[in-house]
């Protein structure tokens, strides 16, 4: 199979779909890889590094999309990239379609085969291709929140962990999954006063066992969420419904009643955000203020630590890239129900129920659409 790796063009996005080691691995299976020039420059890989791994370098994204049977990316294709997709071409990347109607419509129109990293499942009920970036984003959320609390950023002027004789900041993490647990670990490590809210009793038990009292775990009700959010100095939004738009758990009224200079970090912003006042921001302008509350809502948070993120992502995606290339997408999807769960769009049909419901568009079962 001919695989194409274009350079990412989202604001301050330096990650790349495949590192040279991944390219070498795929070529070892008998496939060709075309990489856009300077695709890996943001994380220290030169065109010569890719050539040494066996790739061929092409001068433009147009060339890469035109040659490739499978496009491997990191972030969802922007409008100028979507026009390059063609019928039957395989797209393997993060998509986050539920809050993005224009992208959904363009992928349907292109009749490409779009597999989303974030909805591929595993036999443990996890999301193996989302987990690495969730780990990164969860850990980064505390760094971002700590900066947002600084007075120069509009925050309360608080140090997360306090100092001897001074109270630490109150950090509330909404959601105890991969993002939330990683955020809590970082916040606890900085000696903040941490509370985690979740509705899954098993998750709460696991977190309680892990933190041994260093973080409070609380069952999330409307009342508990309101109470803890209003008491918080920093709130981390870490809620995920696979494939679907994130629920708006923190309302505009909550934001109005929060402490002056408090901060929120909405890690769910890729799926629309779980704060009613959230809107996607970029690394160039990461924060804005609503009702004296600092909002950090960067839609590609792991892009800020692009080298770490790229290696973590490649470790997870490489086996799937090889499987798709070796078997072709049809056989690979037919044989692997977990990979099939990643299929969001094929031949003009939406095969992710949550995406179809979010936009009021027709849904077709993935297996039925795949078979014709």
């Amino acid at each position: 199979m001919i695989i194409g790796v274009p350079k990412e063009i989202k604001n301050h996005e330096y990650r790349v779909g495949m590192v040279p080691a991944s390219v070498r691995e795929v070529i070892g299976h008998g496939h060709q890889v075309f990489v856009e020039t300077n695709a890996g420059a943001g994380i220290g890989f030169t065109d010569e590094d890719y050539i040494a791994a066996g790739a061929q370098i092409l001068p433009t994204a147009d060339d890469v999309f035109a040659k490739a049977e499978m496009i491997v990316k990191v972030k969802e294709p922007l409008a100028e990239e979507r026009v390059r997709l063609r019928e039957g071409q395989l797209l393997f990347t993060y998509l986050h379609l539920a809050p993005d109607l224009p992208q959904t419509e363009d992928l349907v129109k292109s009749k490409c085969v779009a597999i989303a990293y974030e909805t591929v499942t595993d036999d443990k009920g996890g999301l193996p291709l989302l987990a690495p970036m969730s780990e990164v984003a969860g850990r980064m959320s505390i760094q971002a929140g700590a900066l947002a609390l600084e007075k120069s950023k509009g925050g309360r002027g608080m140090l997360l962990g306090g100092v001897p004789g001074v109270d630490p900041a109150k950090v509330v993490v909404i959601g105890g999954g991969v993002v939330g647990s990683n955020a809590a670990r970082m916040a606890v490590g900085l000696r903040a006063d941490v509370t985690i809210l979740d509705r899954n009793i098993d998750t709460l038990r696991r977190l309680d066992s892990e933190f041994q009292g260093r973080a409070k775990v609380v069952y999330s009700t409307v009342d508990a969420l309101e109470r803890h959010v209003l008491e918080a100095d920093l709130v981390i939004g870490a809620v995920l419904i696979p494939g679907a738009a994130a629920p708006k758990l923190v309302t505009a009224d909550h934001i109005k009643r929060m402490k002056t200079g408090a901060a929120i970090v909405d890690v769910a912003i890729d799926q629309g955000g779980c704060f009613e006042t959230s809107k996607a921001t970029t690394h160039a302008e990461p924060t804005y203020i609503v009702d004296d509350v600092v909002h950090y809502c960067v839609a590609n948070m792991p892009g800020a630590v692009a080298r770490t993120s790229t290696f973590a992502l490649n470790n997870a995606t490489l086996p799937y890239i090889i499987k798709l290339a070796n078997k072709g997408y049809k056989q690979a999807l037919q044989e692997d129900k977990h990979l099939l769960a990643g299929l969001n769009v094929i031949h003009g049909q939406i095969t992710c129920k949550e995406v179809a419901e979010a936009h009021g568009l027709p849904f077709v079962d993935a297996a039925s659409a795949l078979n014709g």
Side-chain angles (χ1 to χ4, degrees):
M1 183 178 283
I2 301 173
I3 300 167
V5 182
K7 182 179 174 66
E8 298 292 326
I9 59 173
K10 192 163 186 163
N11 180 276
H12 283 276
E13 181 54 75
Y14 305 107
R15 289 174 290 178
V16 63
M18 296 177 71
V19 297
S22 297
V23 168
R24 183 179 179 186
E25 197 79 14
V26 167
I27 288 173
H29 284 263
H31 307 291
Q32 286 183 280
V33 181
F34 290 93
V35 178
E36 184 180 354
T37 186
N38 294 319
I43 57 169
F45 289 119
T46 65
D47 288 350
E48 287 70 28
D49 292 327
Y50 280 100
I51 291 169
Q56 298 178 59
I57 303 299
L58 294 177
T60 69
D62 284 336
D63 295 321
V64 173
F65 276 81
K67 279 191 173 291
E69 297 169 274
M70 172 165 59
I71 295 291
V72 177
K73 280 177 44 63
V74 177
K75 288 305 292 176
E76 70 280 354
L78 301 185
E80 63 192 87
E81 296 173 298
R82 299 196 295 264
V83 297
R84 300 183 178 117
L85 292 166
R86 62 181 184 271
E87 184 171 357
Q89 190 172 38
L90 180 57
L91 173 65
F92 194 36
T93 189
Y94 288 115
L95 292 174
H96 302 293
L97 294 177
D100 192 343
L101 179 60
Q103 186 195 174
T104 303
E105 291 177 332
D106 285 350
L107 294 184
V108 167
K109 183 179 178 182
S110 75
K111 296 187 177 181
C112 73
V113 179
I115 300 175
Y117 292 160
E118 73 272 11
T119 60
V120 173
T121 58
D122 62 24
D123 56 9
K124 299 175 183 176
L127 301 169
L129 304 189
L130 185 61
M133 296 305 94
S134 295
E135 291 167 344
V136 171
R139 296 181 182 206
M140 280 190 66
S141 69
I142 299 303
Q143 296 178 194
L147 286 172
L149 282 174
E150 292 181 7
K151 198 66 182 174
S152 62
K153 304 294 193 298
R156 286 173 57 75
M158 295 187 73
L159 184 66
L160 273 188
V163 291
V166 181
D167 285 338
K170 293 183 183 296
V171 177
V172 173
V173 181
I174 306 174
V178 178
V179 169
S181 59
N182 276 273
R185 289 179 195 120
M186 293 295 284
V188 165
L190 290 170
R191 300 191 177 186
D193 179 352
V194 183
T195 301
I196 310 164
L197 299 171
D198 201 281
R199 285 181 174 269
N200 186 308
I201 293 295
D202 289 334
T203 296
L204 295 177
R205 288 196 179 104
R206 173 178 54 80
L207 293 171
D208 182 64
S209 176
E210 174 182 346
F211 289 111
Q212 295 287 303
R214 291 173 298 145
K216 296 179 282 291
V217 294
V218 175
Y219 185 81
S220 185
T221 63
V222 171
D223 181 76
L225 185 139
E226 178 178 80
R227 176 162 46 88
H228 286 285
V229 164
L230 297 186
E231 292 174 354
D233 300 302
L234 171 62
V235 181
I236 307 297
V239 178
L240 173 72
I241 300 174
K248 305 293 185 184
L249 298 179
V250 178
T251 67
D253 179 63
H254 290 143
I255 297 292
K256 283 181 184 177
R257 295 158 58 201
M258 287 179 70
K259 297 174 183 176
T260 298
I264 65 116
V265 177
D266 196 343
V267 187
I269 193 65
D270 278 322
Q271 293 294 129
C274 60
F275 297 82
E276 200 170 41
T277 49
S278 291
K279 61 181 180 182
T281 60
T282 68
H283 289 293
E285 296 182 43
T287 63
Y288 60 94
I289 296 174
V290 176
D291 292 322
D292 296 319
V293 174
V294 183
H295 289 55
Y296 180 100
C297 304
V298 174
N300 59 327
M301 285 179 66
V305 287
R307 189 173 176 90
T308 296
S309 297
T310 297
F311 278 102
L313 181 60
N314 268 227
N315 290 343
T317 58
L318 181 58
Y320 295 90
I321 294 169
I322 291 171
K323 183 181 291 187
L324 287 164
N326 284 353
K327 298 183 176 182
Y329 75 81
K330 190 166 185 177
Q331 183 181 347
L333 292 171
Q334 286 173 334
E335 292 179 357
D336 187 341
K337 65 180 181 181
H338 297 298
L339 184 57
L340 183 62
L343 185 65
N344 278 213
V345 178
I346 183 170
H347 306 320
Q349 298 172 305
I350 297 174
T351 55
C352 178
K353 189 175 183 180
E354 292 81 4
V355 171
E357 289 177 348
H359 300 307
L361 295 172
F363 164 72
V364 178
D365 176 75
S368 299
L370 183 63
N371 293 321

